[in-house]
Amino acid sequence: MKRAPQEAYLKKAARPILLRPFPLFTVTLTLLLYALDFLFRWQSGLAELFCLRVELPLAGLLARGVALIPFSLTETCFFAGLILLIVLAFRAFLRLLRLPGRRFRRFLRGVVSLATAVLLGLNLYLFFYQLPQKRPPLAAKLKLSPADLSPRPEELASSAKVLIGEMNELRKDLPEDREGVFRTEKGPYSCFVKSSQAFSQLGSWEPLFSPAVQARPKPLTLSPLLSRMGLAGFYSPFFVEPQVNTQQPKALWASTALHELAHANGYTREDEAEALAFLLGRQHPDAELRYSSRLGALQRLLPALKQSDEVLWQESMSALSPACRRDLAASSAFWQSRQGKLAEKVRDVNDRFLKSQGQSGVAAYSESVRLLHFFIRNKDLPQQPAGGDDKARPKRPVETSPSQTGESNPPQTGESSPTQTGESSEISPAKTSESRSR
């Protein structure tokens, strides 16, 4: 009777390591996901169906569980994984010294276990990040024409005028520090909890953006390192967890959180996520989030306007209120002070990575201007008033009509000029948008 467990153990030990259930399942899943990735390159409609019926529902389940944890699970697992790897490597080394028999088999078992863990992480990356990139572009879903995606300098200036008017109005009632720069009265947790609800609110108004994954952005303790790397945040597909650098100016916390939240909802292209960060914040009931989303959009819009027509750019800059100009200057100064070899290296790596995913590299962030222009000018997409009432608007069905464009909330400009602000008119948000990535 005592020999049965021993015989079962010997039988299990004699089984080839690579044919054990979990490693075999992981390898099979990896091959299946790569096959789907190849198929979706030619069948974007199937990729959209897969995303809506499989990927987003599973992402929502995982995100709800991870949202219960108040700290960054990605960051915690990174440190825990490093410690565990060191401990296991040291333990394996001692066992090889103390138990010389079957050294090769023990070494092979350790290699297979490590490879299985790596493949498991790769599968999560493929499932929650790479496969959604094969969906049809957002511009195609909105049925935008080439003319809609090629705004003239005058049209960009008009969009900037609308955006600046709304920002000036919002900024009047927002708190600021002793230096006159925006400061939030809420901590990062409160800000990110409110941000996590944005996609659900947008999806209730516009069916195109449903179902929604209510992921919760998390602040990073490694924010100083991210600042040196030139990163405002990143999306962790391993746990469907947006990560935000909280060392950056507080005015950009919500804008970054909304950008990463768009990634969690299957919009993994950088230009789409950047434009959706504005759209998500524009209709949010919280005034601070509405202002942050507009500030992030303006930092993409103004450099494009300056490149196409510097005179119109100067006119737009002069229309900014002194408070908004201080916020832009603080953001530009922050990122410029953190430029260095590390940030340049990370930028190059990010550029190559995005190009490997079929995007145009870091230039994809600037390409968001095309969608931003459409969202700013389109009346049919959901929008909150620029100032005043912070109550959520009643839910209503919305019909998307890309052909109808126009201004919303006419801007109030002419209130300030470069001489009235007390600051130099040479503040260039272009430096900020070029030096940071998300």
Side-chain angles (χ1 to χ4, degrees):
M1 295 296 294
K2 293 183 180 180
R3 292 181 178 180
Q6 185 177 4
E7 291 176 357
Y9 172 79
L10 292 175
K11 184 178 180 181
K12 180 180 178 181
R15 186 188 307 166
I17 296 175
L18 292 177
L19 295 182
R20 291 181 179 178
F22 192 66
L24 185 61
F25 167 77
T26 307
V27 172
T28 304
L29 183 59
T30 303
L31 295 175
L32 174 62
L33 291 176
Y34 270 115
L36 288 176
D37 181 66
F38 180 78
L39 175 64
F40 291 164
R41 291 181 185 181
W42 313 105
Q43 299 291 334
S44 60
L46 288 179
E48 179 73 10
L49 185 64
F50 175 83
C51 239
L52 294 177
R53 300 291 177 85
V54 181
E55 190 268 335
L56 288 178
L58 290 179
L61 287 175
L62 179 57
R64 280 197 291 271
V66 173
L68 299 176
I69 303 173
F71 51 85
S72 171
L73 187 60
T74 302
E75 195 174 37
T76 303
C77 288
F78 173 75
F79 287 118
L82 284 180
I83 295 173
L84 182 62
L85 185 62
I86 294 173
V87 171
L88 291 179
F90 184 70
R91 177 174 174 268
F93 178 73
L94 290 180
R95 292 187 67 181
L96 286 175
L97 292 179
R98 294 171 57 187
L99 304 172
R102 294 186 177 181
R103 286 183 176 180
F104 177 75
R105 183 176 181 82
R106 289 193 181 93
F107 174 76
L108 183 60
R109 184 184 302 168
V111 170
V112 170
S113 299
L114 181 61
T116 302
V118 171
L119 284 180
L120 182 61
L122 176 62
N123 290 340
L124 291 171
Y125 162 79
L126 291 171
F127 190 84
F128 291 120
Y129 184 83
Q130 186 158 316
L131 292 183
Q133 292 209 52
K134 306 305 183 294
R135 302 170 71 183
L138 181 58
K141 296 179 185 178
L142 294 170
K143 300 179 181 179
L144 300 184
S145 66
D148 294 323
L149 297 175
S150 304
R152 299 186 301 273
E154 297 79 12
E155 293 174 326
L156 285 179
S158 180
S159 293
K161 182 180 179 182
V162 172
L163 202 59
I164 289 171
E166 294 173 351
M167 286 179 59
N168 289 344
E169 188 67 24
L170 279 168
R171 187 63 173 81
K172 292 178 181 179
D173 302 320
L174 296 180
E176 55 186 35
D177 58 21
R178 295 179 180 178
E179 297 178 355
V181 177
F182 170 88
R183 66 170 178 84
T184 177
E185 293 182 336
K186 312 171 183 66
Y189 290 100
S190 176
C191 174
F192 298 156
V193 167
K194 289 189 175 183
S195 299
S196 67
Q197 303 164 358
F199 229 99
S200 298
Q201 294 166 355
L202 179 60
S204 66
W205 279 331
E206 177 49 67
L208 176 65
F209 300 106
S210 62
V213 175
Q214 197 164 332
R216 178 178 171 182
K218 303 287 183 64
L220 286 165
T221 57
L222 288 177
S223 290
L225 176 60
L226 256 68
S227 297
R228 292 296 177 185
M229 295 169 69
L231 297 176
F234 64 90
Y235 165 60
S236 169
F238 309 108
F239 301 106
V240 192
E241 190 178 45
Q243 312 286 316
V244 180
N245 174 359
T246 52
Q247 192 184 41
Q248 66 179 318
K250 294 179 176 60
L252 295 173
W253 281 2
S255 177
T256 303
L258 294 173
H259 175 106
E260 307 305 339
L261 185 63
H263 285 327
N265 278 269
Y267 293 92
T268 53
R269 298 184 182 95
E270 295 300 336
D271 59 332
E272 295 177 357
E274 193 74 1
L276 283 174
F278 163 72
L279 186 62
L280 290 167
R282 184 176 72 168
Q283 53 82 41
H284 201 279
D286 186 82
E288 292 186 3
L289 267 72
R290 297 204 299 273
Y291 176 75
S292 178
S293 67
R294 286 166 169 81
L295 182 63
L298 192 67
Q299 288 187 330
R300 299 298 180 190
L301 193 62
L302 285 179
L305 180 59
K306 183 179 182 181
Q307 186 176 7
S308 58
D309 193 315
E310 192 160 352
V311 174
L312 292 176
W313 173 78
Q314 287 283 1
E315 292 177 359
S316 298
M317 289 296 295
S318 66
L320 280 167
S321 69
C324 291
R325 288 173 60 83
R326 288 193 297 269
D327 294 341
L328 280 174
S331 176
S332 180
F334 175 84
W335 290 109
Q336 285 298 308
S337 67
R338 271 113 180 130
Q339 287 300 294
K341 292 183 179 180
L342 178 59
E344 292 177 3
K345 185 66 176 177
V346 171
R347 178 187 173 89
D348 292 339
V349 171
N350 191 29
D351 183 67
R352 289 195 293 269
F353 168 73
L354 292 177
K355 288 179 179 177
S356 72
Q357 299 299 307
Q359 302 185 50
S360 55
V362 294
Y365 296 98
S366 300
E367 292 172 0
S368 62
V369 168
R370 298 177 297 185
L371 284 171
L372 281 171
H373 170 72
F374 171 75
F375 288 150
I376 293 169
R377 304 289 296 177
N378 196 299
K379 287 183 177 181
D380 294 331
L381 291 171
Q383 181 174 352
Q384 274 280 349
D389 188 14
D390 270 1
K391 296 180 180 179
R393 191 174 59 176
K395 297 180 180 179
R396 59 177 179 82
V398 180
E399 295 183 1
T400 305
S401 177
S403 60
Q404 298 178 358
T405 58
E407 295 185 7
S408 57
N409 295 332
Q412 300 176 2
T413 58
E415 296 180 2
S416 61
S417 65
T419 56
Q420 291 173 321
T421 60
E423 300 176 18
S424 170
S425 61
E426 295 301 318
I427 299 172
S428 175
K431 295 180 180 179
T432 302
S433 61
E434 291 172 358
S435 62
R436 67 179 173 87
S437 302
R438 291 172 177 166

